[in-house]
Amino acid sequence: MSDHGRLRVAKLRTICERSLGFGQANVDAESPLVDGAARAAGAHVAVLVGRPTRRSLGPALMWAAKETASSDHGGAGLSRLDLVLDPSLPVGSSAQAERDHADSSDYAALPAGAAENADHTVFGLPPDDHREVGGHLARIGRLFVPDVRVWLVDGAEVVEVDAVAPPAMVPSPWDQAPDLVELLSDAGLELAGEPGTILGEVAGLEVARITMVDGRAHLDIGVGRFDQELSAVAQSDLPRRQALQRAADLVRLTRTPDNGAHPMTRLARERWLRAELIARPGLVGASALNAEPGLWLRDGLRSVAPAAASGTDQQGSPLVVVCSAGVDTDLVPAALELAEAIDPDARLVLALPGADVLVGTERVAALARRPPRIVGLTPPWGSFTTRR
């Protein structure tokens, strides 16, 4: 264990004993994490996080569920999780985590704030307002059966953070850009609303976006934001419809199972899986599905965020499907938050490539007040898989 690892474990031990009523007696496990530490005593777990983000809850629950798993039902033993946010905490690197943990299958080697290669955004929340981040984590924690409490280290004090209301969603400009929406639809693109934006996609990959600029609808064409900026110059002499068709055809030719190793097939795979399910809803027991906005706007094609769709099952009952690909340690909390925003009464399904249905995800799903059904599917990009 590194010096930083020992320091993080020692700090969590002190916080537990002084502020959480969680003494040294009967402690079953203590462990450093990449950006914090974790401690378990029976059904009570505390996790210290040094890089708090909106996605810090899932990895903490995953560690807690594994440590408290009973022989007959994974994770059923967890009764309380204290998530302690300490932005001043010295944190380590993934390389150091590998030295601290011989077995990375328990996800201790993954940052507690994000998936392994997730972007460095704060997922829609102010980067320095750790109390607000904690308030959102406390709200998401209410979607689980265990008592999830969120704490913030503020100097020498450790204060509990109350849950806050969900952030306001910026609407997509559907009514403000009907002509551009029709143009994308005529090109055969999949239409997906996102906060303040409408995306035109091919197999889940963005080839066009509509945004509002100074009160007017604006169309950018190209594969992702950076290609759109280049295309605005390189294809400025092309009619808009022709430029759009060229971008769409390029993706259609490349984003196929036969090109599974091509870089273009590795991007936005969760959205590709969603596009497949919208076209073939019966794969998850749905009769019809439509794309739903995410909770934050991704800042690039490599940004990872679960992709949601809503509709009805084959009995006519409301259904929300959340798609993911690869290892996302915060998938279950993110999916529950999405479902709560879309339709809190709908049944929730998590759709993943079969190879990505992990025991850790199943354990955390079992802790939800309304456990989602997890469906493993053959992915539309074929057998070639790149782990995050």
Side-chain angles (χ1 to χ4, degrees):
M1 185 187 302
S2 68
D3 290 342
H4 276 174
R6 282 189 287 271
L7 175 63
R8 296 194 297 271
V9 169
K11 185 160 190 178
L12 178 59
R13 186 181 303 147
T14 299
I15 290 171
C16 287
E17 294 173 358
R18 292 182 179 178
S19 303
L20 305 180
F22 190 171
Q24 183 63 31
N26 302 319
V27 170
D28 299 313
E30 286 184 320
S31 176
L33 305 181
V34 169
D35 66 349
R39 197 168 194 245
H44 188 177
V45 171
V47 176
L48 180 65
V49 177
R51 282 186 291 239
T53 77
R54 186 181 193 146
R55 290 166 64 83
S56 293
L57 180 58
L61 282 168
M62 196 167 279
W63 190 93
K66 180 183 179 183
E67 290 300 322
T68 60
S70 63
S71 59
D72 56 339
H73 186 58
L78 181 65
S79 64
R80 175 172 165 178
L81 171 66
D82 288 301
L83 189 65
V84 184
L85 313 181
D86 184 2
S88 68
L89 192 71
V91 294
S93 66
S94 295
Q96 183 62 58
E98 291 175 4
R99 292 193 292 271
D100 283 347
H101 300 277
D103 179 12
S104 62
S105 65
D106 64 358
Y107 308 103
L110 294 175
E116 189 173 11
N117 78 335
D119 59 277
H120 298 291
T121 70
V122 290
F123 298 96
L125 297 181
D128 299 318
D129 193 340
H130 303 294
R131 186 175 292 275
E132 183 174 352
V133 171
H136 286 288
L137 292 170
R139 171 177 52 82
I140 300 167
R142 292 177 175 177
L143 302 175
F144 291 89
V145 173
D147 180 15
V148 176
R149 302 185 188 185
V150 180
W151 306 81
L152 180 64
V153 177
D154 185 5
E157 301 294 322
V158 179
V159 295
E160 187 167 5
V161 181
D162 294 328
V164 298
M169 294 288 290
V170 180
S172 303
W174 296 103
D175 296 336
Q176 298 167 280
D179 293 342
L180 294 181
V181 170
E182 183 178 2
L183 178 65
L184 300 190
S185 181
D186 288 346
L189 302 186
E190 305 144 8
L191 300 182
E194 294 294 337
T197 306
I198 298 171
L199 301 182
E201 301 176 339
V202 173
L205 185 63
E206 175 187 341
V207 298
R209 70 166 54 197
I210 300 170
T211 53
M212 300 302 297
V213 179
D214 298 327
R216 299 182 61 183
H218 180 76
L219 175 65
D220 290 302
I221 299 172
V223 181
R225 179 164 54 90
F226 299 109
D227 186 44
Q228 289 162 7
E229 294 171 357
L230 292 173
S231 297
V233 177
Q235 302 189 51
S236 58
D237 59 331
L238 288 180
R240 193 162 55 181
R241 189 177 297 274
Q242 185 178 346
L244 180 61
Q245 199 65 55
R246 177 179 291 185
D249 288 345
L250 171 65
V251 177
R252 288 193 183 102
L253 288 171
T254 309
R255 204 161 161 88
T256 68
D258 294 336
N259 291 321
H262 192 283
M264 199 173 287
T265 69
R266 305 184 191 187
L267 300 170
R269 284 184 162 181
E270 64 278 2
R271 301 177 77 85
W272 193 353
L273 185 58
R274 178 177 69 177
E276 177 79 357
L277 295 181
I278 289 173
R280 303 171 62 195
L283 291 174
V284 287
S287 60
L289 291 171
N290 296 292
E292 290 283 352
L295 295 172
W296 54 81
L297 185 63
R298 296 172 303 135
D299 64 359
L301 292 180
R302 294 186 181 278
S303 296
V304 176
S310 67
T312 55
D313 63 19
Q314 294 174 350
Q315 288 72 47
S317 300
L319 186 71
V320 172
V321 179
V322 176
C323 301
S324 184
V327 176
D328 184 351
T329 56
D330 192 59
L331 172 60
V332 175
L336 292 174
E337 186 184 12
L338 270 168
E340 186 76 5
I342 296 167
D343 185 350
D345 297 322
R347 187 163 57 90
L348 174 60
V349 173
L350 303 185
L352 304 164
D356 295 334
V357 178
L358 306 177
V359 172
T361 302
E362 294 174 329
R363 286 188 183 124
V364 177
L367 296 173
R369 292 191 180 278
R370 299 182 63 192
R373 182 167 69 97
I374 300 176
V375 178
L377 301 168
T378 300
W381 50 86
S383 58
F384 186 90
T385 299
T386 299
R387 287 287 189 187
R388 291 182 186 172

